[in-house]
Amino acid sequence: EVQLVESGGGLVQPGGSVRLSCAASGFTFNNYWMAWVRQAPGKGPQWVANIKQDGSEKYYVDSVKGRFTISRDNAKNSFYLQMNRLRAEDTGLYYCASGPGWYSNLWGRGTLVTVSS
Amino acid sequence: DIVMTQSPDSLAVSLGERATIKCKSSQSLLHRTYRETFLAWFQQKPGQPPKPLIYGASTRESGVPDRFSGSGSGTDFTLTISSLQAEDVAVYYCHQYLDAPLTFGGGTKVEIK
């Protein structure tokens, strides 16, 4: 079955760190760009970052530059989002997504990150 | 950043009637090299991830009913549901994937009148 499964979310204090993981199955992982998209409660989706097939290109939304790092391990069919210096406004459901080019037509079900003291 | 502006914010339509959602981008979404428009539409129901409906402005994803259609070019786009069904109640988002940061519209909530 073609799917993406996120893990690693939870309750984190402001200023803290968390690492999200996304496990891919059912498709040739190293052929696709991968992305993280988040959704704050009651809001629309916000693209966070994406990474090229070989990891040589990475792009981030301005609000996370210098705090978040996207990476991938093609041998494990997985990719990651290291989130540091977390803020309350980083709270939300984090989806991993993939597809042809920058268009993502496969989404996981999300993992919830709550930044609160 | 490319700003995506959707209208209306919400829409109530009778079952079997047409629903029309507009999306305007702050710059053209035509990719100069590929000559394809990098605009997609997503449907999101409560508790679910966004579901892709349309890409390339007008190409339906596999399995999407043909009552959903996308049109438009350049900076102005439309998602049409030709005959609204009860299962179409959702929030719909347009999305540009031409340039980073990738951006989404604010969403249009579709309900039954």
Side-chain angles (χ1 to χ4, degrees):
Chain A
E1 181 185 3
V2 176
Q3 65 176 356
L4 298 170
V5 179
E6 305 90 340
S7 60
L11 177 63
V12 187
Q13 289 196 337
S17 298
V18 69
R19 188 194 196 210
L20 305 183
S21 299
C22 178
S25 58
F27 64 99
T28 306
F29 179 75
N30 57 11
N31 282 353
Y32 292 91
W33 281 79
M34 303 300 296
W36 289 99
V37 180
R38 68 185 178 186
Q39 191 164 25
K43 303 294 186 181
Q46 181 190 36
W47 173 85
V48 174
N50 63 3
I51 184 168
K52 194 176 180 179
Q53 290 89 333
D54 62 0
S56 62
E57 293 181 32
K58 304 174 185 181
Y59 298 89
Y60 300 90
V61 68
D62 281 352
S63 59
V64 309
K65 283 180 183 174
R67 300 189 300 122
F68 291 10
T69 302
I70 191 171
S71 62
R72 65 191 294 162
D73 185 339
N74 288 343
K76 295 182 178 180
N77 285 354
S78 295
F79 77 116
Y80 311 97
L81 187 67
Q82 178 66 44
M83 306 164 62
N84 298 331
R85 304 200 320 263
L86 283 161
R87 307 167 179 166
E89 55 264 35
D90 295 318
T91 292
L93 193 56
Y94 283 72
Y95 297 103
C96 61
S98 72
W102 283 6
Y103 167 61
S104 293
N105 61 359
L106 177 65
W107 292 57
R109 296 203 62 84
T111 186
L112 182 63
V113 174
T114 303
V115 183
S116 175
S117 54
Chain B
D1 298 5
I2 299 176
V3 177
M4 306 298 289
T5 304
Q6 281 183 241
S7 61
D9 293 336
S10 63
L11 185 59
V13 176
S14 300
L15 288 172
E17 295 301 304
R18 178 184 301 261
T20 302
I21 301 169
K22 301 285 189 182
C23 175
K24 187 173 183 68
S25 57
S26 60
Q27 63 188 70
S28 174
L29 300 184
L30 178 64
H31 194 289
R32 295 176 182 175
T33 301
Y34 298 118
R35 307 306 295 173
E36 180 181 331
T37 299
F38 282 23
L39 183 282
W41 289 95
F42 287 83
Q43 175 193 65
Q44 189 174 31
K45 298 180 180 179
Q48 297 184 19
K51 174 188 174 183
L53 296 177
I54 303 279
Y55 64 94
S58 61
T59 303
R60 271 189 303 274
E61 279 283 354
S62 174
V64 173
D66 61 7
R67 64 181 179 272
F68 291 92
S69 64
S71 62
S73 62
T75 62
D76 293 281
F77 305 95
T78 302
L79 175 69
T80 301
I81 310 172
S82 61
S83 175
L84 190 74
Q85 304 300 304
E87 61 265 33
D88 301 335
V89 169
V91 180
Y92 294 83
Y93 297 97
C94 59
H95 167 58
Q96 68 82 15
Y97 50 98
L98 178 69
D99 194 24
L102 282 63
T103 48
F104 292 82
T108 297
K109 186 174 185 179
V110 175
E111 301 171 308
I112 305 295
K113 185 188 290 183

